[in-house]
Amino acid sequence: MQFRLLVGQGAWLMTMGLKITAVECTMLEITDLKKTYEGGFEALKGVSLSIHEGEIIALLGPNGAGKTTLISTICGITTSSSGQIKVGGFCVEKEFRAARSLIGLVPQEINLEPFETVMNTVKFSRGLFGKRRDDAYIESILRKLSLWEKRGARVMELSGGMKRRVLIAKALSHEPKVLFLDEPTAGVDVELRKDMWEIVEELRASGVTIILTTHYIEEAEAIADRIGVINKGQLLLVEEKAALMARFGQKQLRIELQDGITDLPDSLAAYDLTLEEGGASLVYAYDTKADRTGITTLLSDLASAGLVLRDLQTEQSSLEDIFVDLVKEEQS
């Protein structure tokens, strides 16, 4: 006999008199997913990915990389050419209603009924998923998104930022276990962005799994547990954020000189040095994982070359630097 264990269960489960210790639950399982459109364009090329309950994963990639196609296929908006998707253990193709009921989606495009009120729009969305009426829950969502005072307003009367908030409220209305945020803060005000990430943290704490695509790489760096980089329909990598930055990140030592120079002395030619800011500073790139950084020897050789230092600063590669380098490497 097989048991399907769903999300939100305690650390200990009692089944048929047996004690079962809860293990890390895979909420979303994608296996060799492919999507080819008429004409032969391959939007997805064998994407495989496992995402755990309560995890936040950020998908980064340039325009046309396949991010939206991937989300649309998982949500059943687009049909895959091959491969398998399971959400909470339910196969999207064979058990669509059960799988889709676990998913909330905040799309890029604002597509709302303009003559409907905010309150009715969100309530209707909850009803579509067969959820019982819960006015207190709807009110809590609207208040968190600063929409409560606008609950009676028609959608057409709202600003673009407020419409974006309504989309988020709709996605949360049926209490999903997986939330997709497809460029949720693109072109919105700073206040909404702040509110959005506060809600994301609350949802994560309650066990909701969150997958977001974003052009704001600093946001991914701030809140994501893992980072996925997708380009030309292929998932180049998925790694823990800290591990990714440790593996691909470099450190730089910026050396400000007391007096500027026009050329590097020949005695420093062996070092990976770049002359910047009109000769007023040197930048030295080094690997933090190496046995020796070479900094001590470099400073000694700088003094021997007659260069007087004014200041030293270290800089760590950002997630954006890593992302750009990965995409460039894939395109070359």
Side-chain angles (χ1 to χ4, degrees), residues 133-170:
R133 179 171 174 172
D134 190 338
D135 291 344
Y137 177 72
I138 297 299
E139 179 178 344
S140 71
I141 293 174
L142 295 181
R143 286 191 181 279
K144 287 176 182 176
L145 288 165
S146 302
L147 285 169
W148 183 245
E149 300 301 323
K150 299 285 187 180
R151 63 190 181 277
R154 292 186 296 178
V155 170
M156 64 185 297
E157 300 169 352
L158 302 179
S159 66
M162 282 295 178
K163 289 176 182 176
R164 179 72 63 182
R165 291 171 189 262
V166 175
L167 283 179
I168 297 168
K170 275 171 54 70

Side-chain angles (χ1 to χ4, degrees), residues 122 247 254 266 302:
V122 179
R247 186 158 73 93
R254 180 174 294 276
D266 292 339
L302 286 170

Side-chain angles (χ1 to χ4, degrees), residues 68-79:
T68 298
T69 301
L70 177 60
I71 290 177
S72 297
T73 307
I74 296 169
C75 294
I77 299 170
T78 299
T79 304

Side-chain angles (χ1 to χ4, degrees), residues 65-137:
K67 303 186 299 295
T68 298
T69 301
L70 177 60
I71 290 177
S72 297
T73 307
I74 296 169
C75 294
I77 299 170
T78 299
T79 304
S80 66
S81 301
S82 63
Q84 187 180 67
I85 307 166
K86 287 187 176 182
V87 182
F90 297 106
C91 176
V92 168
E93 184 177 347
K94 298 177 181 178
E95 304 167 286
F96 175 74
R97 289 179 66 87
R100 186 63 180 86
S101 69
L102 297 175
I103 297 173
L105 170 63
V106 180
Q108 284 189 46
E109 301 299 325
I110 296 176
N111 186 12
L112 297 166
E113 171 52 55
F115 296 99
E116 193 54 270
T117 65
V118 170
M119 176 65 83
N120 287 343
T121 296
V122 179
K123 282 185 174 180
F124 180 72
S125 185
R126 180 178 175 85
L128 281 178
F129 287 90
K131 288 284 187 176
R132 296 176 60 182
R133 179 171 174 172
D134 190 338
D135 291 344
Y137 177 72

